[in-house]
Amino acid sequence: INAEYGKTTAHMSTQLRSTGIGHRDWTLECLRRIEADHRRSADTRVIKLRVPGLRRKTHDLYLKDESAHPSGSLKHRLAHSLFVYALVNGWLNPGRPVIEASSGSTAISEAYFANLINLPFIAVIPSSTAAAKVAAIEALGGKVHLVDADIYSSAEGLARSTEGHYMNQFLYAERAKNYRGGDFNLAARAMGQMELETFCVPRWFVCGAGTGGTASTAGRYFRYKRLDTRVCVVDPENSVFHEYFRTRDESLTSAVPSLIEGIGRGRVEPSFVPSCVDRVDRVPDAASIAMVHFLKHKVGLVVGGSTGTNVYGCFRLLAEMQAAGETGSVLSVLCDSGERYSSSYFDPGWLQEHGLSPERLQPFLDQIELFWEHGNWTEIGSSPEQVGSELSRL
């Protein structure tokens, strides 16, 4: 890798000298290309998910469909912000590789922008990452470095040895994003699209946390705009954010990786700012995967696991609102397409291997169905059969 990128860098430097282009001019040209690409792209839509069991004209659920981005996920916004931030800070150089530690989706989006400005890109990702994500990174010209160990230190070491730039989404996500608004602020764009809705200011915004940047930026935006929208982070099993929000213990770690790609971390990430968040809910992995399959077969939406986590959290909040006699809407995110997870969340063998058998999923499928059809919500506790019997009764 070092030899390969050393040759690339030398070639690019020779090209720049021969054309008389300096680093500043190169940076401005990169920024022009990124802005031109943005102007060619339309904003993603907001889907109104009609839940039959919700009381008519009193509760609404919206999903910002981020799968429509050119790089296919919510992480397109983050990658755009990170590249612009790195360029204006003078951190990127012609021919020098960009390196990122990622669970896959951010790496795909960063590969897209690296290709746009003709920079080499290396993704350091867990060996368990879905095969479709690896293929997507490579299709965009990126290289993949699969590791079983710490992706952070591996990415840092690779950046040093190649004299490249470690983008470090986990540190810079909340800094690079503009919380005041703008085209790449998800919350700001969604609010503009919802202006004519009955409940145009959501009571809750629901999202998962990988870097924590989306939640932190949204929390700041809603306060800055003086909007009465609260932020709820939904956290999968084996992630530390739920406990960190409760204790503020920055030393928390988890040795078991999250099964829900893109969200949930084994350490406290610096871009997750707990004071910007109003609530953190734990969501069982079986609930997230059950929701993924429910949305595919009932609604026709083929989504990834993090979207399943989001929508499950939305159902729980909407049920609480109904029980409390509160009206209003909930806004969340459709993070990416389920097509990236054909070898995992939609593979019966993979599900069985990871303890997500049909028997494990069924209580949550019954719970989701009960709320969808009748607006009734029963938490899965020590007696999952209770939910099935309630559904049968209705």
Side-chain angles (χ1 to χ4, degrees):
I1 290 177
N2 294 342
E4 178 180 350
Y5 286 108
K7 291 178 182 177
T8 301
T9 301
H11 176 67
M12 291 291 290
S13 298
T14 301
Q15 280 189 321
L16 283 175
R17 285 196 300 272
S18 66
T19 57
I21 297 176
H23 184 270
R24 182 180 179 84
D25 291 334
W26 175 83
T27 298
L28 296 180
E29 171 59 18
C30 290
L31 290 167
R32 184 198 66 78
R33 291 187 187 184
I34 291 172
E35 176 61 21
D37 179 75
H38 165 55
R39 293 190 185 190
R40 292 193 299 270
S41 304
D43 194 15
T44 61
R45 63 177 180 153
V46 173
I47 299 170
K48 186 174 184 178
L49 192 62
R50 300 182 185 279
V51 181
L54 287 177
R55 295 171 188 160
R56 294 183 64 187
K57 300 183 179 179
T58 59
H59 298 86
D60 291 321
L61 173 58
Y62 299 92
L63 301 177
K64 187 92 163 93
D65 183 7
E66 296 294 276
S67 69
H69 281 297
S71 62
S73 81
L74 165 66
K75 301 299 184 179
H76 192 84
R77 294 181 190 272
L78 172 59
H80 175 276
S81 297
L82 288 169
F83 266 83
V84 170
Y85 191 68
L87 283 164
V88 298
N89 278 298
W91 295 342
L92 302 185
N93 292 286
R96 297 288 184 188
V98 174
I99 292 95
E100 184 63 284
S102 170
S103 64
S105 290
T106 303
I108 295 170
S109 295
E110 289 192 21
Y112 175 89
F113 284 101
N115 185 57
L116 191 64
I117 61 175
N118 198 28
L119 283 184
F121 178 76
I122 309 171
V124 180
I125 60 178
S127 56
S128 59
T129 301
K133 288 187 176 182
V134 174
I137 295 166
E138 293 175 338
L140 288 166
K143 294 190 179 296
V144 174
H145 187 57
L146 297 171
V147 297
D148 293 316
D150 178 9
I151 60 173
Y152 310 97
S153 58
S154 297
E156 289 173 358
L158 194 56
R160 285 194 300 270
S161 63
T162 61
E163 296 184 350
H165 174 67
Y166 174 31
M167 195 66 86
N168 199 351
Q169 58 166 321
F170 300 102
L171 177 61
Y172 293 112
E174 59 90 14
R175 304 183 194 182
K177 291 185 173 184
N178 178 11
Y179 72 84
R180 295 175 181 85
D183 288 350
F184 277 82
N185 183 311
L186 181 149
R189 299 300 292 172
M191 295 302 292
Q193 291 169 296
M194 291 175 60
E195 282 183 348
L196 299 181
E197 300 301 307
T198 302
F199 304 107
C200 56
V201 177
R203 188 172 291 274
W204 287 98
F205 173 73
V206 178
C207 66
T211 64
T214 297
S216 300
T217 303
R220 288 169 175 163
Y221 170 79
F222 291 126
R223 292 176 189 180
Y224 178 72
K225 292 294 185 179
R226 303 182 301 280
L227 300 172
D228 191 23
T229 301
R230 314 297 167 86
V231 174
C232 175
V233 168
V234 280
D235 204 33
E237 294 176 29
N238 304 312
S239 175
V240 302
F241 290 127
H242 181 268
E243 185 66 10
Y244 173 56
F245 182 76
R246 188 180 70 84
T247 66
R248 299 302 202 266
D249 180 0
E250 296 183 357
S251 68
L252 288 168
T253 59
S254 172
V256 182
S258 170
L259 286 181
I260 309 302
E261 290 189 28
I263 61 172
R265 303 302 304 168
R267 71 174 196 181
V268 175
E269 300 296 354
S271 282
F272 180 77
V273 183
S275 58
C276 293
V277 173
D278 299 283
R279 171 172 170 170
V280 177
D281 283 358
R282 178 74 79 195
V283 174
D285 291 344
S288 298
I289 304 307
M291 182 62 80
V292 164
H293 286 267
F294 178 85
L295 291 173
K296 177 183 178 181
H297 296 294
K298 194 77 173 183
V299 187
L301 288 176
V302 183
V303 300
S306 57
T307 302
T309 309
N310 286 348
V311 178
Y312 186 87
C314 290
F315 277 21
R316 178 185 280 158
L317 285 169
L318 285 163
E320 290 181 9
M321 289 167 59
Q322 285 198 138
E326 299 173 351
T327 60
S329 61
V330 175
L331 169 67
S332 190
V333 187
L334 195 165
C335 303
D336 61 1
S337 168
E339 293 176 0
R340 292 179 171 178
Y341 306 97
S342 59
S343 62
S344 54
Y345 305 140
F346 296 99
D347 178 3
W350 187 95
L351 292 174
Q352 192 76 37
E353 179 184 345
H354 290 84
L356 297 168
S357 64
E359 294 76 20
R360 176 79 176 105
L361 298 184
Q362 193 59 52
F364 293 101
L365 286 168
D366 290 343
Q367 179 194 39
I368 293 164
E369 178 81 17
L370 183 64
F371 182 75
W372 179 266
E373 295 292 348
H374 305 285
N376 295 354
W377 184 263
T378 303
E379 285 293 342
I380 302 293
S382 57
S383 301
E385 298 81 5
Q386 178 184 352
V387 181
S389 62
E390 176 72 6
L391 183 60
S392 299
R393 183 183 67 81
L394 292 168

